[in-house]
Amino acid sequence: MTALTRNRGRALIVGLGIAGMASAIRLQQAGWETVVIERAPARRDGGYFIALFGAGAAPAGRLGVLDALRSRAHANQVSLEIDRHARRKPGLGFTDLPHEPRVLLRGDVESALHQALPAGTEIRYSTTPTAVEQDDGGVRVTLRDAGAGTVRTERFDLLVGADGLRSTVRSLVFGPHSAFLRPVNHMIAAFLMKEHVHGFEPHEAIALTEPGRSAWTFPLSGRPPSALFSYRTTDIDREFKLPPADSVRRAFGPEPLGPVLGQLLDEFEHADGLLFDSVHQSVLPHWHARRVVVVGDAAWCPTLYTGMGASSALAGADLLGTMIERHPDSVEAALGAWEAHLRPFIEYHQHSLPLGLNMFVPQSHTGKILRGLLTRNLPFIGPLALRLKTRATEFQMKERDIAKV
Ligand SMILES: Cc1cc2nc3c(=O)[nH]c(=O)nc-3n(C[C@H](O)[C@H](O)[C@H](O)COP(=O)(O)OP(=O)(O)OC[C@H]3O[C@@H](n4cnc5c(N)ncnc54)[C@H](O)[C@@H]3O)c2cc1C
């Protein structure tokens, strides 16, 4: 164990996303000084649809941001399954779930956290870590400021890697991406639409699912929806060789697109701030090493298909502050207690990926039938029991306030 020389410490937090800002707020609540560095030259906004479950709402409350996270769901939202001819049948959406999650954009959570950062919080943009060394007294981090063109080394009591799926902190301290990124063999393309889907009402959520590919729209009150394409691939590198819209078109071909996919793809081609990426889980045997800890997607990215990335990032950051408070004399003891408490919860959600993936993108014709049994109230006792059992455990875990200890 490494003893702190004083009650409060100084932490470097890498990444100004949900995990990073939540960690900064919570560590300051615990009496720590924080420095946040962000690779981008300015704070991003916008993003894509996210659902915030109880597991994230409870820590958001303790971080002081819950009131700012007003759900963007339509009061009368309806979920539809459609085919390429835009023929509809009833579907299942986030607003039909047992505990309706808050419907948000990622930028809503980030803006709320940014506003809640205590005045004077030090944020350095265009800055990245390039080397990390630890000794008994602290962690020395070399920081490169691309804006100023400077490099300098500073000492901290704690280094928090909240720098996302392709975390630099993780690669500097724990090992290369290839050791920890588990490919899901799917691509995603997410964007905010500029128009409503033609022929549908603003409150209608649409899912067009086929084996190995799907397109969803998520209604947002007061503005056009957020849209998401997902598709399976056997060659991730190949997907990045074409412009994103061409790769998505290829994935949904060769059959005619039909009106809805056609509109979505046309909009995607001209969207601002679109996201096009491969899907991976981060799977690490340990999330901390002496005075270094990784949090959020950097540590455990559960993927969008579990709907738990933002909620678990908030929970992980909140719990980190609590454990630091409980172990004021030892950062290592705090990080050990933090990981021991959090890991089973996170692993549960990581293991639920196949179910979530099949709900978003049916993996086969059989998977599509199973998905239908889980999403519709069919009069069969067996499937109904399965549906209730699966959903009950799954959704209890999404609501569980793991950060409250
Ligand atoms: C399409 C989509 C839908 C989703 N839906 C949901 C949902 O419904 N519910 C849910 O809970 N979650 C959802 N998620 C997941 C959720 O958005 C993420 O899990 C969450 O935003 C992760 O936050 P983070 O802070 O850990 O990482 P990130 O958001 O990746 O933030 C990392 C930050 O670190 C910065 N950074 C990176 N490298 C460096 C570096 N070397 N130096 C300095 N800064 C660096 C980045 O610029 C960024 O600002 C979804 C994700 C996607 C893609």
Side-chain angles (χ1 to χ4, degrees):
M1 280 188 201
T2 313
L4 278 176
T5 50
R6 55 183 186 276
N7 266 348
R8 305 192 308 170
R10 181 168 180 257
L12 175 69
I13 296 168
V14 182
L16 192 70
I18 294 173
M21 285 189 276
S23 297
I25 294 169
R26 192 62 189 85
L27 286 172
Q28 291 192 56
Q29 286 175 351
W32 279 55
E33 182 190 334
T34 63
V35 175
V36 186
I37 62 170
E38 166 56 47
R39 178 173 55 193
R43 197 172 75 75
R44 63 188 176 185
D45 58 11
Y48 38 76
F49 164 94
I50 64 170
L52 188 76
F53 289 90
R62 291 188 288 274
L63 292 161
V65 298
L66 191 59
D67 289 346
L69 299 178
R70 263 178 246 116
S71 183
R72 291 175 179 261
H74 283 264
N76 56 344
Q77 182 164 318
V78 173
S79 298
L80 301 170
E81 293 273 333
I82 65 162
D83 64 13
R84 290 194 184 215
H85 304 287
R87 288 181 295 231
R88 344 160 146 221
K89 52 188 175 187
L92 181 88
F94 282 99
T95 51
D96 306 310
L97 298 178
H99 302 278
E100 187 181 324
R102 281 170 204 238
V103 166
L104 302 165
L105 294 176
R106 188 198 63 211
D108 296 337
V109 185
E110 292 185 346
S111 295
L113 290 167
H114 188 252
Q115 294 217 339
L117 283 169
T121 300
E122 188 176 348
I123 301 173
R124 302 181 198 164
Y125 290 99
S126 304
T127 304
T128 52
T130 58
V132 176
E133 275 174 55
Q134 302 203 63
D135 55 39
D136 285 346
V139 49
R140 284 160 48 85
V141 188
T142 304
L143 300 171
R144 181 169 175 275
D145 180 338
T150 55
V151 176
R152 70 179 188 197
T153 301
E154 285 179 52
R155 196 172 187 85
F156 299 89
D157 300 302
L158 172 67
L159 168 60
V160 180
D163 47 347
L165 185 65
R166 295 176 182 86
S167 164
T168 302
V169 172
R170 190 185 62 221
S171 62
L172 290 172
V173 177
F174 296 87
H177 294 337
S178 57
F180 305 123
L181 290 188
R182 187 177 288 171
V184 178
N185 296 324
H186 278 67
M187 302 295 295
I188 49 166
F191 66 104
L192 292 172
M193 296 184 70
K194 295 203 171 97
E195 292 181 24
H196 289 287
V197 183
H198 304 155
F200 290 81
E201 296 297 322
H203 64 276
E204 289 177 327
I206 299 166
L208 191 162
T209 63
E210 297 173 351
R213 55 195 183 184
S214 71
W216 291 66
T217 67
F218 303 99
L220 301 167
S221 165
R223 58 151 300 137
S226 181
L228 173 70
F229 296 107
S230 283
Y231 62 89
R232 195 168 52 216
T233 179
T234 49
D235 185 350
I236 290 171
D237 292 342
R238 183 181 95 128
E239 301 303 329
F240 290 110
K241 289 196 177 124
L242 291 176
D246 292 352
S247 288
V248 178
R249 268 184 209 284
R250 182 175 61 193
F252 282 84
E255 302 90 331
L257 294 173
V260 174
L261 275 180
Q263 184 194 343
L264 292 183
L265 262 158
D266 287 347
E267 283 219 24
F268 177 62
E269 199 155 8
H270 302 106
D272 304 320
L274 60 86
L275 171 81
F276 177 69
D277 206 353
S278 48
V279 182
H280 305 258
Q281 283 190 327
S282 331
V283 181
L284 279 79
H286 304 287
W287 299 325
H288 70 283
R290 301 184 75 187
R291 290 172 178 270
V292 181
V293 63
V294 278
V295 182
D297 278 4
W300 56 70
C301 180
T303 81
L304 73 159
Y305 301 124
T306 69
M308 284 300 290
S311 290
S312 62
L314 290 164
D318 184 25
L319 185 66
L320 179 65
T322 302
M323 291 307 190
I324 289 278
E325 280 168 341
R326 291 208 178 160
H327 298 270
D329 298 327
S330 170
V331 167
E332 286 185 53
L335 299 185
W338 171 81
E339 179 160 347
H341 185 77
L342 194 59
R343 188 169 269 280
F345 174 80
I346 296 292
E347 288 185 347
Y348 175 90
H349 288 295
Q350 287 192 317
H351 292 151
S352 75
L353 172 65
L355 183 68
L357 174 60
N358 194 64
M359 293 301 280
F360 270 92
V361 192
Q363 291 300 294
S364 60
H365 288 288
T366 314
K368 189 161 162 73
I369 293 166
L370 281 173
R371 183 182 175 280
L373 295 177
L374 285 166
T375 55
R376 260 168 268 134
N377 282 315
L378 295 178
F380 307 127
I381 298 301
L384 187 65
L386 171 69
R387 184 168 65 86
L388 291 176
K389 185 167 172 286
T390 316
R391 286 221 205 130
T393 318
E394 175 79 6
F395 292 113
Q396 275 164 19
M397 289 298 273
K398 287 191 193 308
E399 292 302 310
R400 183 160 165 213
D401 184 5
I402 190 71
K404 190 172 177 200
V405 286

